[in-house]
């Protein structure tokens, strides 16, 4: 039987090849700074809308789905010419990509920023070049908010609050309202909105529960492999962990493997209570098994809302500065099997 790590490495490799294939179909995709062959062959049509997308990387199932949605939405048939750049989890690569988009004179820049800070200078360059920038997925923290048109993504702080509220209700329902509850958190990439929002949203609820004891926060960088190591460390260090908060599903996969290897139980019958974020398909299957108790959805399919925004801008209409996608949560009591039937991710 494949272990979770191996299974998901395999899955990631498969998805990665698939995305490479898709990316190959998009125009001008490159990763090493050299102009790819097809870029010299393929040029946008005169009335194409040229969009430069700077993506974070390919660190999680969520990200793979998020990228696929861009490819599916901004197609040639619909009159888009897409330049997709994978930042490989490094801000410097993303800054380089933005400068390249500016040089090329794209019509729109779509930026999924790995972290919130450090964007002022390059966004000013885009503004000076008259190129509208749409911030997607995570947020930026800049002095002058007119440097970008709007942000389209998730209310990541609300996701964190939802997790806290869910835990409070659950503990209450199990008669554990006043018990000391030891918690560890596997955080996402430090300084990313997904980390900041989820951590602080949860912390807000935690303040109302003096008996909740956060033993430690450690980053698993949103990846399964790193989370596996951090969870091993948590288990070696603390012998009474009640709750594990994983700030994304891939980290939950790594943490679950470490917990099982340590011979510990997960779930409602005296096991570790695991909460996660994203609600990708493989994680929902674990919710169904009761290994993840609740998963707070983060919708990766934001491309259609970005397209709607671009179309509004094309018509000269105003757009909302902050636009959130709809999200919900799933827990072990729900009929996951049925809802997976018509869920895309
Ligand atoms: O939760 C995680 C990914 O920024 C919301 O990034 C996104 C997060 C998502 O790697 O899986």
């Amino acid at each position: 039987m494949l272990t979770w790590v191996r299974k998901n490495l395999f899955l990631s490799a498969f998805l990665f090849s698939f995305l490479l294939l898709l990316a190959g179909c998009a125009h001008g995709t490159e990763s090493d700074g050299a102009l790819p062959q097809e870029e010299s062959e393929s040029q946008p049509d005169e009335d194409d809308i040229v969009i430069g997308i700077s993506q974070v990387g390919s660190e999680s199932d969520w990200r793979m789905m998020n990228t696929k949605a861009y490819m599916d939405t901004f197609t040639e048939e619909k009159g888009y010419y897409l330049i997709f750049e994978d930042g490989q989890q490094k801000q410097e690569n993303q800054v380089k990509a933005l400068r390249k988009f500016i040089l090329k004179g794209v019509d729109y820049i779509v930026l999924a920023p790995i972290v919130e800070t450090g964007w002022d200078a390059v966004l000013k360059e885009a503004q000076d070049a008259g190129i509208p920038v749409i911030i997607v997925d995570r947020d930026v923290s800049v002095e002058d908010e007119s440097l970008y048109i709007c942000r389209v993504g998730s209310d990541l702080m609300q996701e964190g609050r939802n997790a806290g509220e869910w835990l409070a209700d659950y503990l209450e329902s199990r008669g554990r309202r006043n018990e000391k509850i030891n918690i560890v958190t596997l955080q996402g990439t430090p300084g990313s909105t997904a980390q900041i929002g989820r951590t602080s949203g949860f912390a807000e609820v935690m303040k109302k529960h003096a008996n909740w004891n956060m033993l430690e926060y450690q980053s698993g960088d949103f990846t399964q492999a790193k989370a596996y190591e951090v969870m091993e460390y948590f288990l070696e260090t603390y012998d009474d962990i009640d709750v594990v908060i994983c700030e994304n599903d891939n980290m939950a996969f790594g943490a679950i493997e470490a917990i099982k290897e340590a011979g510990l139980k997960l779930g409602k019958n005296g096991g570790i209570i695991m909460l996660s974020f994203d609600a990708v398909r493989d994680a929902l299957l674990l919710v169904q098994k009761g290994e993840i108790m609740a998963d707070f959805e983060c919708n990766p399919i934001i491309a259609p809302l970005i397209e709607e925004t671009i179309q509004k801008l094309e018509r000269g209409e105003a757009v909302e500065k902050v636009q959130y996608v709809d999200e919900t949560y799933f827990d072990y009591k729900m009929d996951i099997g049925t809802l997976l039937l018509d869920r895309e991710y």
Side-chain angles (χ1 to χ4, degrees):
M1 202 175 93
L2 287 175
T3 61
W4 268 111
V5 165
R6 270 190 260 125
K7 175 180 177 291
N8 282 281
L9 278 178
F10 174 74
L11 184 72
S12 300
F14 170 77
L15 280 170
F16 188 65
S17 328
F18 172 63
L19 285 170
L20 276 183
L21 205 77
L22 280 176
C25 302
H27 305 277
T29 303
E30 68 182 78
S31 56
D32 59 3
L35 287 183
Q37 190 65 27
E38 58 192 298
E39 195 157 13
S40 51
E41 289 164 4
S42 138
Q43 290 298 325
D45 292 340
E46 209 174 302
D47 46 5
D48 274 350
I49 299 176
V50 182
I51 305 176
I53 296 188
S54 169
Q55 176 64 295
V56 169
S58 49
E59 72 284 2
S60 64
D61 291 19
W62 186 97
R63 186 68 55 199
M64 298 297 196
M65 200 59 213
N66 177 252
T67 296
K68 180 180 179 299
Y70 290 132
M71 303 299 178
D72 291 348
T73 303
F74 296 110
T75 60
E76 247 179 289
E77 299 75 58
K78 288 203 259 168
Y80 296 106
Y81 183 94
L82 193 64
I83 309 173
F84 181 87
E85 289 281 336
D86 180 344
Q88 299 177 359
Q89 294 257 67
K90 289 203 180 79
Q91 184 172 32
E92 65 202 70
N93 291 342
Q94 291 201 284
V95 170
K96 245 196 247 165
L98 258 57
R99 296 214 161 108
K100 182 182 134 179
F101 298 154
I102 295 168
L103 265 177
K104 281 182 179 286
V106 299
D107 296 315
Y108 295 91
I109 289 176
V110 171
L111 168 66
I114 178 158
V115 288
E116 293 194 348
T117 54
W119 299 104
D120 298 72
V122 71
L123 291 186
K124 180 80 175 68
E125 290 166 33
Q127 188 176 58
D128 290 346
I131 302 173
V133 177
I134 300 173
I135 305 295
V136 299
D137 161 22
R138 303 174 184 175
D139 205 353
V140 291
S141 160
V142 284
E143 286 270 300
D144 172 5
E145 294 203 336
S146 79
L147 290 176
Y148 62 92
I149 300 288
C150 61
R151 173 183 170 233
V152 181
S154 301
D155 188 345
L156 296 152
M157 175 116 174
Q158 188 54 44
E159 292 177 8
R161 284 191 204 105
N162 292 345
E165 300 294 357
W166 186 93
L167 182 63
D169 289 348
Y170 176 74
L171 293 172
E172 169 92 49
S173 76
R174 309 291 289 187
R176 300 178 68 184
R177 180 147 78 111
N178 299 315
E179 198 181 297
K180 183 174 180 200
I181 303 295
N182 288 327
I183 309 173
V184 289
T185 298
L186 276 151
Q187 291 181 300
T189 303
S192 67
T193 313
Q195 177 270 309
I196 297 170
R198 289 168 183 165
T199 298
S200 52
F202 186 85
E204 216 179 87
V205 180
M206 194 163 62
K207 268 200 223 131
K208 296 189 273 182
H209 301 273
N211 56 317
W212 293 11
N213 176 33
M214 185 63 73
L215 294 167
E216 195 167 336
Y217 293 102
Q218 277 270 351
S219 172
D221 215 14
F222 286 128
T223 67
Q224 184 169 336
K226 184 94 190 283
Y228 172 80
E229 284 170 20
V230 176
M231 192 68 227
E232 271 191 324
Y233 154 78
F234 280 154
L235 293 169
E236 278 159 21
T237 313
Y238 306 103
D239 56 12
D240 185 20
I241 298 173
D242 297 297
V243 179
V244 178
I245 311 284
C246 294
E247 288 185 344
N248 85 343
D249 283 339
N250 288 76
M251 293 196 294
F253 301 154
I256 288 175
E257 182 164 28
I259 290 169
K260 286 187 176 169
E261 277 178 16
L264 296 170
K265 279 201 319 182
L266 285 149
K268 65 180 165 112
N269 296 321
I272 291 177
I273 300 167
M274 175 164 295
L275 305 185
S276 184
F277 296 87
D278 282 355
V280 298
R281 181 167 287 269
D282 278 352
L284 289 179
L285 293 171
L286 297 176
V287 174
Q288 194 175 34
K289 282 168 85 180
E291 293 185 357
I292 296 175
M293 295 290 277
D295 206 326
F296 300 86
E297 186 184 38
C298 185
N299 186 347
I301 307 187
I302 45 185
L305 194 51
I306 300 167
E307 182 184 25
E308 209 179 293
T309 302
I310 288 177
Q311 288 302 330
K312 277 190 188 158
L313 293 169
E314 286 290 297
R315 295 192 296 268
E317 292 170 20
V319 296
E320 295 275 329
K321 191 79 182 179
V322 181
Q323 301 175 47
Y324 291 135
V325 279
D326 291 335
E327 291 173 344
T328 180
Y329 76 94
F330 305 96
D331 71 18
Y332 71 101
K333 284 182 292 197
M334 296 176 180
D335 179 3
I336 304 290
T338 304
L339 70 91
L340 275 178
L341 291 176
D342 47 24
R343 189 171 166 86
E344 210 185 321
Y345 52 98

